[in-house]
């Protein structure tokens, strides 16, 4: 017998789409921040039970229950002509009116699944045995936005800086998958193309956020005064860096 049909409600996706699967393992998407902090998601499971009327046989003997369509309760029924007494011959089997000949009935069960902090894609949580007669496991899929990647426990992205900031120092707010992160770097040497800045403890499981520097060269000639101001800002003693260059 096939496993129960289940649906996963995924509010984190745009449009609130719902995936319907016939599977014992139900995937659900969670964000990077949710994987770090832990989260709770709602699962909708279509639980199938045996029909109590026909006991799974799909057909019933309706000879003692009146009309097979309305059960003798609808005066406008086309099957019995409104007489409400269209009894069937004794022993005649008809499609069960309760389950419509399926032998089973389904009901939607809402269940919340809790994911602990610091999990990776593929983490699995089991649903209680009372939810379904089949073992059901929910698998967390961590969705990392485009432009970011996970390398070990580090969250890796790109930091675009102007030529002036590369020479003098960087003070930027980076919109990352774990929220806005303030990146401040005023080092002893200017930033170069391909340098990597590490922001401690902003990755997975205590890892770092690593930002590869991309120096954006100006499309027009830079005025010498702006470069002079940038050079004056270098090695400023009152500014404390929040990251280090690897």
């Amino acid at each position: 017998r096939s496993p129960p049909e289940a649906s996963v409600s995924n509010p984190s996706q745009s449009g609130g789409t719902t995936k319907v699967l016939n599977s014992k393992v139900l995937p659900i998407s969670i964000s990077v921040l949710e994987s770090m902090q832990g989260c709770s998601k709602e699962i909708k499971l279509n639980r199938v039970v045996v029909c109590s009327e026909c006991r799974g046989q799909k057909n019933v003997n309706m000879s003692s229950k009146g009309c097979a369509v309305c059960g003798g309760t609808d005066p406008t029924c086309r099957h019995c002509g409104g007489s409400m007494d269209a009894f069937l011959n004794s022993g005649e089997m008809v499609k069960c009116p309760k389950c419509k000949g399926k032998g089973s009935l389904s009901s939607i069960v809402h269940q919340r699944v809790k994911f602990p902090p610091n999990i990776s894609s593929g983490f699995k949580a089991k649903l209680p045995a009372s939810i379904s007669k089949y073992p059901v496991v929910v698998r967390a899929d961590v969705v990392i936005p485009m432009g970011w990647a996970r390398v070990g426990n580090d969250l890796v992205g790109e930091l675009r800086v102007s030529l002036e900031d590369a020479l003098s120092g960087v003070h930027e707010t980076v919109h990352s998958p774990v929220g806005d992160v303030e990146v401040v770097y005023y080092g002893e040497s200017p930033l170069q193309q391909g340098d990597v800045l590490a922001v401690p403890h902003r990755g997975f499981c205590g890892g770092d956020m690593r930002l590869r520097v991309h120096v954006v060269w100006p499309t027009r000639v830079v005025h010498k005064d702006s470069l002079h101001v940038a050079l004056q800002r270098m090695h400023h003693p009152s500014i404390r860096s929040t990251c280090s260059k690897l």
Side-chain angles (χ1 to χ4, degrees):
R1 184 178 295 178
S2 61
E5 182 182 70
S7 62
V8 177
S9 179
N10 191 355
S12 64
Q13 292 183 346
S14 60
T17 57
T18 300
K19 296 180 179 179
V20 180
L21 307 170
N22 281 320
S23 175
K24 295 181 181 179
V25 179
L26 310 178
I28 186 167
S29 298
I30 63 175
S31 67
V32 173
L33 191 59
E34 288 173 332
S35 72
M36 293 180 176
Q37 298 180 345
C39 62
S40 177
K41 295 290 184 178
E42 183 181 80
I43 301 297
K44 296 178 183 178
L45 186 66
N46 189 11
R47 182 169 57 184
V48 179
V49 296
V50 176
C51 176
S52 60
E53 182 70 25
C54 66
R55 298 182 180 179
Q57 299 301 312
K58 301 182 181 181
N59 297 313
V60 292
N61 186 345
M62 297 293 291
S63 60
S64 61
K65 297 187 179 182
C67 176
V69 175
C70 70
T73 60
D74 186 2
T76 63
C77 176
R78 295 183 180 180
H79 183 70
C80 64
S83 64
M84 302 173 62
D85 58 357
F87 290 93
L88 303 173
N89 294 327
S90 178
E92 184 177 351
M93 303 295 291
V94 296
K95 182 185 295 186
C96 176
K98 186 174 182 178
C99 66
K100 298 181 180 179
K102 295 180 180 179
S104 60
L105 298 171
S106 61
S107 60
I108 300 297
V109 178
H110 295 261
Q111 176 71 26
R112 297 204 69 85
V113 181
K114 291 185 178 180
F115 294 101
N118 298 322
I119 63 173
S120 304
S121 281
F123 179 88
K124 296 178 180 179
K126 292 183 179 180
L127 291 184
S130 59
I131 297 298
S132 172
K133 62 184 295 187
Y134 298 91
V136 179
V137 175
V138 180
R139 186 190 70 226
D141 293 336
V142 181
V143 178
I144 301 178
M146 184 178 299
W148 294 86
R150 177 173 182 171
V151 180
N153 286 333
D154 292 337
L155 183 61
V156 180
E158 182 183 73
L159 178 65
R160 299 173 66 88
V161 299
S162 65
L163 178 60
E164 292 90 342
D165 287 343
L167 291 172
S168 63
V170 175
H171 192 163
E172 296 282 347
T173 298
V174 177
H175 304 292
S176 75
V178 297
D180 291 345
V181 176
E182 188 178 28
V183 177
V184 181
Y185 174 78
Y186 291 91
E188 296 181 355
S189 61
L191 291 174
Q192 300 183 33
Q193 190 84 351
D195 282 346
V196 177
L197 297 179
V199 183
H201 311 302
R202 298 310 297 264
F204 297 87
C205 302
D208 299 334
M209 177 184 293
R210 299 195 177 196
L211 301 171
R212 185 173 296 277
V213 175
H214 177 81
V215 179
V216 181
W217 287 82
T219 57
R220 57 185 177 84
V221 177
V222 179
H223 196 276
K224 64 178 183 179
D225 290 342
S226 64
L227 288 179
H228 178 69
V229 172
L231 291 172
Q232 286 184 331
R233 286 162 48 194
M234 291 180 65
H235 321 315
H236 200 291
S238 64
I239 301 177
R240 184 178 179 182
S241 299
T242 62
C243 58
S244 59
K245 186 167 68 171
L246 301 180

